[in-house]
Amino acid sequence: MDIVVAIKQVPDTSEAVDVVEIDASGRDINKEALVSKINDWDEYALEEAVQLKQKLGGTVTAVTVGASEWDDILRRALAMGADRAIRIDEDAASMDSNTVAKILTAVIIHLPYDLVIFGAQSEDFGSGQLGCMVAEMLDIPHATLVVSLQMDEGEVRVSRELEGGALELYTLKLPALLTIQTGINRPRYVSFASIKKAREKELKVISLNELGLSRDALTPLVILEKLELTPTGKKAELISGSAEETAGKLAMILNDSGVI
Amino acid sequence: MALADYKYKDVIHRCFRCGYCKFPSNWMEVNNCPAYARFRLESYSTGGRLWLIRAWLNDEIEWTDHLAQIVYSCAACKNCVEQCPYRFHDDIVDMIIAARSEMVERGSIPSVVKEFLENIQRQGNPYGNARSKRGEWVEGMGIKQYEGQEYLYYVGCVGSYDTRAKETARTLGEVLLKAGVSFGVMGNDENCDGNEVSKLGEESLFQSLAEDNIQQFKDLGVEKIVALSPHSYNAIKNDYPMFNGSFEVFHYTQLLRDLIKGGRLDISSGFDARVTYHDPCFLGRWNKEYEAPRQVLNAIPGVELVEMERSREGALCCGGGGGNFYTDFLGGSEDSPARIRIREACATGASIVATACPNCMTMLEDAVKAEGLEESIKVKDISEIVAEACLAKRAD
Amino acid sequence: MDSIYKALVEIVGEDHASTEQEELYIHSRSLGTVEPHQPDYVVAPRTTEEVQQIVKLANREKIPVVPLGGGLSLTGLVMPLRGGIVLDMKRMDTIIEVNEKARYVIVEAGVSQGKLISCLERYHPNLMHSEPMAPAQATIAGNVMIHGQGDLAQPYGFNSDMVNGLEVVLPTGEVCKIGSCSVSPYWFTAHPLPDLGLFLGWFGTTGIITKLSLRLYPCKKINGVDRFLVEDAELIPEILLKITHTEMVGDLVSSIQGLPLAVRGIHIITININGDSEKEIEFKRQLIREDILGEYIRNGDCGFMGTTPDLRTGQQRPTITTVADIKRGGGFEYVGAILPVDTYPECCREGEAISSRHDIIYTLGGRVIGRSHAMMFFWSYAFNRADPESVRQAREALHESDELALKLGGVPWKPSVYGQKLIMEKMEPNTLELMRKIKELLDPNGIMNPGNWEVM
């Protein structure tokens, strides 16, 4: 059972909300004061992959597109139980999902895989698109927001999380791509010692050129114009009445404030 | 790891389950083990925990969340070490920590413990609060950064971030300034001392923290350290030498005692109250320092010091050690050790229970609220009592 | 299963009821040599009402109930032989009342020996109870319920003879008071009401003790200990008889062990002499030494080992626990049997032989009960818990000791199921039938600690 897991590194903003500031470019946050970590969803994805490998045998390959600091999350992936890791050496910060998807596809297409696993979304930009795009580019079936999965002969059965606790059940033929929702498992703790030990495993760094791609040729389809902090609210208004009345009142408020 | 690789394999089966580990030295209650006090099930006593650890390593039982919780519910208070009649009694807590190390290596630890450790890895404190806020407690006090002064005043994570404990950190700072002690702090550069990390079984992380701290101290030319927390005191004094970090470490009560004796602190304003002192485990049983805090309290005019029936080596742990001030395996019940301890403190007739540890401070304060005893007893750090004795003006 | 667990949680709360692997494991293991038996539930009640509710539930569902105190009898009396609910009584540990004038204490069943000792020493130093050799965690009720003996055995007998009254929960769930407490607010005497002694020695098969009143005795300030060494075992019974005639001693024990080598082969009679003054101690000591033991010393085959008058503290490092570690194995079990004192020499001879056959260093002795009315003779076998062969050897030695005790005309005390069977095989048929009738009357569904005193 060969599994490829795509992961990314994000800044840790969990307890440090008021340390978040927009940087000079106006299109990113100031990351100097922030520590980096593996994207939460990707940790669950990795754990799921490693558990599958431990049960069914096979390999797990962790892949990322990022600068050299992102080796940290690959070491963590190796420490968790991935067999090898690949980093495409490009600063993904300014790329749109489509670009990253193209790069990842160019790598994955040469790897043996029964399953390709992504986290459902990222903690920073939260687009939730990457997995779907790569699935389309690889021309394989996919399911998103997976909260449980079970392997069978040549196929995988998944539950997708909908609203209000409802679940959808699907069967996909392998090879398939899944994006993983948090809570699907309990990611194991990675000790300091095991991260050090993971240095014995293979971490390959490749350039875009080696993939036959060039930065210039990868034109983004979506361009981020501006990043703003939400204005801290000073007023909270409770709108009362029937559903129709409150909807009407709300529409008026939104219209008057210029939002719609 | 099979039982064959476990460091204490030749010893762990020798626990007779006699149960002395549950008692204080005067046998007055059977709940002197904080985890046993909370649950009163044999599995949570030291003997039960050791038998379960052996059974797990020997493949008689599987790892479960419940097993992990039992293993991690030990507050490392050393009451069992004190009371066990066997020759290997000194190793008992280490046996539990060794089992935790095994769980850490397998990655199978309770989620809150994982959070605790990952927060320290990332932000240098178990709360996961930003490093850039660690030194905030110093604001407006005129305390300087450490640059070669006589003492490094090492605050620790709880004192730097916990709201109530921060007051303690500040008050001690005030007292040291008042006494004209030459000291500095590391502010945002201070990192976790690692004591709890070590007790939680993450040896490699502890080593990394220790080595980084030692390097930092050496680079700054630190020779003497005064610690707010007995946890820091314990790690730096007893464990750092193993990584070539030897410093002269004091718990602040030892320094205050010497300052008072040497006349460098004018405590003549006094502090009128009946006070009972709660021995912190990492100062008391771990480091046998029972007297310095009492000497400080006894020196203050107006303080009537009364002892709880379980004190010194028989003291009941507040339940905050082994990371429990964060992981909270022992909370949520009137049988929580901190609540039992507060009821005991009240029974002495004291209006103040004095602490010398920021972990004890937070645990006991929460317990006072949970017990609804805010009108009967207050928790004060020794530094706060000393501060009032030297800063307040007596009304004449 | 699940609905029963839910019901138990409703009675005692989530924190004190468990079906988890870990609690079941702990309570499936004996400290001695009895093989493991797994329970289905472990609960720790706090009140008599909770015990009642649990017993009623158990009756409805026909699930065994196994009451547990300290679990230190070592003969497997708290093993859930047929599964069921282990009822850990130790949360019920309030000392209800110490009545100094009538010298008694009322305790909940789960009060530990240590807690009572500590309470009396701190608040009622003139009073003591008969403290057994068991570790401090042993419970008052458990010890009394197995007919335990303590350091007042010689003057005052079995601990079960010191009971003024009981509160019990019957197997069918009713709460019953036995003794003066059934008609009076004072729990000061068991007699003269009709004898309702249906609960002591029954190992919980007839009901669960939830409270008891225990007689307290004068506690003197000084406890002196003399050790008298005797080589010839044949002399021991008459020496003990004579010492008890003086009515001047407290605990009286004669023991012999293979280690340390310095005392191998020598019987050590430990004579406790208590007094409120040096004068009292000296008077008693003189009496024993000169009037009683003088002739033996003059005949040359006996002598005294040092004397150590120390203040009565009761909190020296425990000896029983350290004896347990002789094989560096943390395991230890003994057969104690109630025997006539004059069987002492043969008990020792056979005991040495059994120990030697099973590769265990002999540790033997007898504690005098009453004025030499009887002794509790113990054959102790340490074993290495981690070595199944060692456990097996100890188990065999224990079985042989049970058989020996009965052969010599004695009765195994707190017998394991093996010993119980031997006793019942030998027992007068009408007596056995009476036992069966009583059990059936009180426990019609057979839920109470089944497998014990199981009359065929």
Side-chain angles (χ1 to χ4, degrees):
Chain A
M1 171 97 219
D2 294 313
I3 309 176
V4 175
V5 188
I7 62 179
K8 79 178 287 194
Q9 192 173 77
V10 296
D12 182 8
T13 54
S14 46
E15 284 290 330
V17 174
D18 50 339
V19 176
V20 170
E21 300 161 338
I22 309 297
D23 75 358
S25 76
R27 287 192 296 277
D28 204 345
I29 60 171
N30 204 333
K31 291 186 189 148
E32 267 174 37
L34 298 174
V35 171
S36 299
K37 62 191 262 298
I38 186 172
N39 179 37
D40 209 16
W41 279 265
D42 299 346
E43 202 185 354
Y44 287 92
L46 270 171
E47 177 65 32
E48 199 61 22
V50 171
Q51 282 190 19
L52 278 171
K53 179 186 92 153
Q54 283 172 342
K55 245 187 292 204
L56 305 167
T59 65
V60 173
T61 306
V63 187
T64 194
V65 181
S68 62
E69 300 84 61
W70 288 36
D71 277 347
D72 281 346
I73 53 161
L74 291 179
R75 299 244 176 266
R76 171 171 279 270
L78 293 168
M80 276 177 83
D83 298 286
R84 58 193 177 119
I86 303 172
R87 179 170 62 82
I88 298 93
D89 187 23
E90 274 296 322
D91 181 9
S94 52
M95 294 181 183
D96 69 336
S97 301
N98 190 259
T99 309
V100 179
K102 285 200 179 115
I103 300 173
L104 283 174
T105 304
V107 176
I108 297 173
I109 212 159
H110 295 296
L111 299 172
Y113 61 87
D114 298 292
L115 216 48
V116 181
I117 302 187
F118 279 66
Q121 64 187 78
S122 66
E123 288 175 59
D124 46 11
F125 288 96
S127 68
Q129 300 172 5
L130 207 46
C132 314
M133 288 179 172
V134 171
E136 288 300 302
M137 292 177 189
L138 287 174
D139 194 23
I140 58 177
H142 78 276
T144 58
L145 296 164
V146 171
V147 289
S148 83
L149 66 88
Q150 224 171 316
M151 302 305 303
D152 226 337
E153 273 303 313
E155 52 188 34
V156 59
R157 281 200 307 279
V158 304
S159 301
R160 291 187 66 229
E161 178 185 75
L162 303 179
E163 288 243 347
L167 296 172
E168 266 186 339
L169 300 173
Y170 284 99
T171 307
L172 295 89
K173 282 217 169 353
L174 299 179
L177 185 145
L178 306 174
T179 80
I180 302 292
Q181 179 60 291
T182 55
I184 188 176
N185 53 42
R186 279 245 315 256
R188 65 200 61 198
Y189 176 71
V190 175
S191 75
F192 210 72
S194 60
I195 294 185
K196 283 205 290 197
K197 201 152 181 279
R199 290 189 177 272
E200 296 165 17
K201 293 190 185 174
E202 180 191 333
L203 197 167
K204 202 156 86 168
V205 182
I206 56 183
S207 66
L208 278 184
N209 288 341
E210 288 173 65
L211 292 173
L213 296 171
S214 82
R215 195 62 199 264
D216 303 322
L218 290 166
T219 38
L221 297 179
V222 174
I223 298 177
L224 172 65
E225 300 230 316
K226 191 164 118 172
L227 200 61
E228 276 178 351
L229 290 175
T230 46
T232 42
K234 292 195 179 76
K235 195 171 86 157
E237 195 183 322
L238 274 170
I239 309 170
S240 54
S242 71
E244 264 182 48
E245 291 169 11
T246 48
K249 283 186 196 167
L250 185 58
M252 255 177 43
I253 293 172
L254 291 171
N255 191 40
D256 290 346
S257 69
V259 174
I260 51 168
Chain B
M1 179 202 339
L3 187 58
D5 300 318
Y6 179 66
K7 182 173 177 194
Y8 299 99
K9 67 177 188 301
D10 290 329
V11 154
I12 193 168
H13 68 284
R14 287 166 61 186
C15 164
F16 178 55
R17 296 281 306 290
C18 60
Y20 284 101
C21 46
K22 303 172 187 169
F23 289 89
S25 36
N26 68 2
W27 290 0
M28 62 175 271
E29 284 290 348
V30 81
N31 61 4
N32 220 45
C33 163
Y36 185 70
R38 172 64 180 79
F39 293 98
R40 295 298 283 271
L41 294 172
E42 288 297 320
S43 37
Y44 285 92
S45 70
T46 302
R49 191 177 290 104
L50 292 178
W51 277 41
L52 287 170
I53 288 172
R54 181 171 194 275
W56 169 55
L57 293 170
N58 202 28
D59 287 322
E60 289 172 60
I61 58 174
E62 300 176 331
W63 184 94
T64 64
D65 261 319
H66 189 59
L67 177 67
Q69 189 227 359
I70 290 172
V71 170
Y72 274 94
S73 64
C74 160
C77 78
K78 279 205 172 178
N79 182 67
C80 48
V81 170
E82 195 71 39
Q83 294 303 315
C84 173
Y86 282 133
R87 244 171 289 194
F88 54 77
H89 68 105
D90 270 329
D91 291 334
I92 294 177
V93 168
D94 292 329
M95 291 190 223
I96 297 170
I97 294 174
R100 291 174 174 181
S101 294
E102 177 59 18
M103 289 191 182
V104 162
E105 281 321 301
R106 296 191 197 185
S108 312
I109 55 180
S111 313
V112 280
V113 177
K114 177 170 181 283
E115 258 174 51
F116 187 101
L117 295 169
E118 286 180 350
N119 285 343
I120 289 180
Q121 280 193 40
R122 256 184 265 135
Q123 300 284 5
N125 67 85
Y127 307 104
N129 291 342
R131 267 182 213 279
S132 53
K133 300 192 159 206
R134 191 176 183 112
E136 265 180 17
W137 66 271
V138 144
E139 240 151 75
M141 287 190 72
I143 291 180
K144 299 213 165 29
Q145 195 74 1
Y146 183 84
E147 276 169 347
Q149 295 95 322
E150 188 184 356
Y151 291 95
L152 167 65
Y153 170 20
Y154 183 91
V155 181
C157 300
V158 181
S160 300
Y161 289 102
D162 177 87
T163 319
R164 179 65 181 96
K166 264 200 278 197
E167 293 173 14
T168 310
R170 291 174 65 85
T171 310
L172 180 59
E174 276 169 22
V175 172
L176 292 177
L177 284 172
K178 183 115 185 138
V181 175
S182 153
F183 75 96
V185 297
M186 283 170 59
N188 291 346
D189 293 335
E190 190 187 271
N191 202 25
C192 179
D193 55 64
N195 190 65
E196 301 305 275
V197 173
S198 158
K199 305 309 163 236
L200 291 171
E202 233 287 36
E203 301 163 5
S204 52
L205 177 60
F206 175 65
Q207 179 167 352
S208 162
L209 290 167
E211 286 174 345
D212 284 348
N213 283 341
I214 290 167
Q215 192 56 57
Q216 244 191 328
F217 295 165
K218 281 185 175 164
D219 289 344
L220 289 168
V222 171
E223 285 175 2
K224 290 189 189 172
I225 302 177
V226 57
L228 172 68
S229 168
H231 293 245
S232 317
Y233 172 69
N234 181 66
I236 302 175
K237 177 166 182 284
N238 298 319
D239 298 330
Y240 281 26
M242 182 166 32
F243 305 111
N244 291 317
S246 294
F247 307 92
E248 247 190 282
V249 197
F250 303 92
H251 183 254
Y252 82 81
T253 50
Q254 295 166 331
L255 185 55
L256 290 188
R257 172 203 49 203
D258 293 343
L259 291 171
I260 292 172
K261 257 205 209 142
R264 287 173 63 185
L265 256 182
D266 175 12
I267 46 170
S268 56
S269 293
F271 183 83
D272 282 318
R274 179 180 265 196
V275 176
T276 188
Y277 171 64
H278 167 73
D279 289 279
C281 301
F282 277 94
L283 190 61
R285 278 185 291 260
W286 276 81
N287 284 287
K288 306 283 183 252
E289 177 61 90
Y290 302 112
E291 298 314 319
R294 289 178 167 83
Q295 287 165 329
V296 171
L297 289 169
N298 275 322
I300 299 173
V303 166
E304 183 201 346
L305 185 60
V306 292
E307 296 286 353
M308 287 182 268
E309 284 196 289
R310 308 189 241 188
S311 64
R312 290 186 169 81
E313 79 284 348
L316 171 63
C317 171
C318 71
N324 263 289
F325 68 93
Y326 179 89
T327 54
D328 197 31
F329 289 121
L330 304 180
S333 158
E334 62 180 14
D335 293 330
S336 296
R339 289 177 64 172
I340 298 175
R341 195 57 166 163
I342 285 297
R343 294 197 292 269
E344 280 184 9
C346 278
T348 64
S351 58
I352 306 274
V353 52
T355 59
C357 170
N359 296 42
C360 294
M361 160 65 74
T362 60
M363 298 297 292
L364 293 177
E365 277 244 327
D366 284 345
V368 169
K369 291 192 194 111
E371 287 287 304
L373 288 169
E374 293 97 320
E375 300 305 309
S376 309
I377 196 161
K378 296 213 171 351
V379 186
K380 276 199 179 294
D381 192 77
I382 289 185
S383 63
E384 293 173 332
I385 296 175
V386 169
E388 285 195 41
C390 59
L391 298 173
K393 297 260 178 294
R394 265 192 191 283
D396 277 305
Chain C
M1 275 271 177
D2 203 53
S3 61
I4 294 171
Y5 174 66
K6 278 201 195 106
L8 291 171
V9 166
E10 248 163 79
I11 299 170
V12 298
E14 205 177 37
D15 289 334
H16 307 295
S18 173
T19 53
E20 303 284 351
Q21 162 196 251
E22 290 74 18
E23 279 74 45
L24 300 186
Y25 175 86
I26 288 289
H27 290 284
S28 69
R29 262 58 183 178
S30 168
L31 269 58
T33 59
V34 172
E35 293 92 343
H37 292 86
Q38 184 129 312
D40 301 298
Y41 311 93
V42 174
V43 276
R46 178 68 199 87
T47 64
T48 302
E49 291 67 40
E50 286 176 11
V51 175
Q52 276 184 282
Q53 288 177 55
I54 293 166
V55 168
K56 285 185 183 152
L57 166 70
N59 259 297
R60 274 201 309 274
E61 305 289 336
K62 311 281 192 288
I63 311 177
V65 175
V66 180
L68 165 72
L72 289 158
S73 68
L74 305 182
T75 46
L77 299 175
V78 295
M79 283 286 102
L81 298 169
R82 310 262 161 83
I85 304 170
V86 166
L87 199 63
D88 186 339
M89 300 297 288
K90 298 194 291 288
R91 272 184 77 215
M92 297 178 62
D93 73 341
T94 307
I95 297 175
I96 298 172
E97 180 195 337
V98 175
N99 187 316
E100 289 201 333
K101 295 216 177 91
R103 291 198 173 108
Y104 67 83
V105 60
I106 308 175
V107 292
E108 287 186 324
V111 169
S112 63
Q113 298 287 340
K115 185 162 178 173
L116 181 59
I117 292 166
S118 179
C119 170
L120 294 176
E121 284 194 12
R122 282 175 301 133
Y123 300 119
H124 310 278
N126 291 336
L127 294 173
M128 64 184 278
H129 79 300
S130 187
E131 182 187 327
M133 282 193 212
Q137 171 64 99
T139 56
I140 303 292
N143 173 263
V144 142
M145 191 271 289
I146 57 170
H147 291 302
Q149 314 91 42
D151 55 1
L152 293 174
Q154 190 275 129
Y156 300 112
F158 289 88
N159 292 0
S160 42
D161 290 332
M162 301 171 185
V163 176
N164 289 330
L166 300 172
E167 178 194 85
V168 293
V169 172
L170 298 177
T172 37
E174 302 91 337
V175 175
C176 203
K177 284 209 170 90
I178 316 286
S180 62
C181 57
S182 64
V183 291
S184 145
Y186 309 115
W187 295 53
F188 72 114
T189 180
H191 308 318
L193 288 164
D195 199 10
L196 293 175
L198 301 167
F199 305 98
L200 303 181
W202 285 90
F203 306 152
T205 53
T206 51
I208 301 169
I209 299 171
T210 47
K211 291 189 179 76
L212 70 125
S213 167
L214 194 65
R215 268 186 227 152
L216 299 174
Y217 294 88
C219 180
K220 305 265 172 129
K221 296 193 179 68
I222 310 169
N223 173 226
V225 182
D226 277 355
R227 289 184 180 85
F228 192 59
L229 310 178
V230 179
E231 264 186 35
D232 184 2
E234 299 294 334
L235 294 175
I236 302 280
E238 66 184 72
I239 293 177
L240 294 176
L241 191 68
K242 288 181 180 166
I243 294 176
T244 52
H245 173 82
T246 65
E247 301 193 302
M248 291 274 144
V249 305
D251 200 12
L252 185 61
V253 178
S254 178
S255 58
I256 184 168
Q257 44 200 64
L259 281 179
L261 287 174
V263 293
R264 190 189 181 98
I266 301 179
H267 300 267
I268 304 173
I269 301 181
T270 305
I271 306 168
N272 285 274
I273 298 176
N274 305 312
D276 276 327
S277 62
E278 288 293 344
K279 186 167 124 181
E280 187 180 345
I281 300 271
E282 267 322 295
F283 172 76
K284 290 177 175 175
R285 187 169 263 142
Q286 290 276 65
L287 194 72
I288 306 287
R289 283 186 181 226
E290 286 167 17
D291 296 14
I292 305 299
L293 299 174
E295 70 168 278
Y296 297 96
I297 298 172
R298 282 188 293 277
N299 287 348
D301 29 27
C302 311
F304 271 97
M305 201 161 109
T307 64
T308 49
D310 18 280
L311 279 167
R312 179 171 184 71
T313 63
Q315 280 159 25
Q316 301 89 348
R317 272 291 185 240
T319 49
I320 265 241
T321 311
T322 39
V323 161
D325 200 37
I326 278 184
K327 284 226 165 198
R328 296 264 187 277
F332 150 75
E333 192 181 333
Y334 64 100
V335 162
I338 311 301
L339 287 145
V341 179
D342 65 9
T343 62
Y344 181 91
E346 203 171 345
C347 288
C348 289
R349 243 188 341 268
E350 296 289 332
E352 272 183 63
I354 295 173
S355 303
S356 158
R357 271 203 297 281
H358 295 280
D359 192 31
I360 301 173
I361 297 169
Y362 63 88
T363 307
L364 316 161
R367 177 182 235 163
V368 178
I369 303 174
R371 305 291 188 235
S372 244
H373 296 118
M375 67 175 177
M376 188 282 287
F377 192 90
F378 54 90
W379 294 269
S380 294
Y381 303 108
F383 59 87
N384 183 346
R385 206 181 288 289
D387 175 6
E389 178 55 20
S390 171
V391 177
R392 195 189 61 81
Q393 290 279 20
R395 191 182 295 127
E396 267 181 29
L398 291 160
H399 289 343
E400 285 180 39
S401 307
D402 273 327
E403 287 153 15
L404 172 66
L406 282 161
K407 188 178 92 178
L408 295 175
V411 188
W413 159 53
K414 58 168 190 189
S416 61
V417 170
Y418 184 87
Q420 292 169 29
K421 290 207 173 97
L422 292 177
I423 293 171
M424 290 191 291
E425 272 164 27
K426 220 178 164 196
M427 190 178 266
E428 261 274 319
N430 285 342
T431 314
L432 200 58
E433 175 59 14
L434 182 57
M435 277 181 73
R436 194 195 61 74
K437 276 190 176 138
I438 291 171
K439 274 189 72 188
E440 197 178 276
L441 172 71
L442 292 173
D443 183 20
N445 287 319
I447 60 164
M448 296 305 302
N449 208 2
N452 286 284
W453 291 129
E454 203 126 274
V455 183
M456 285 306 144

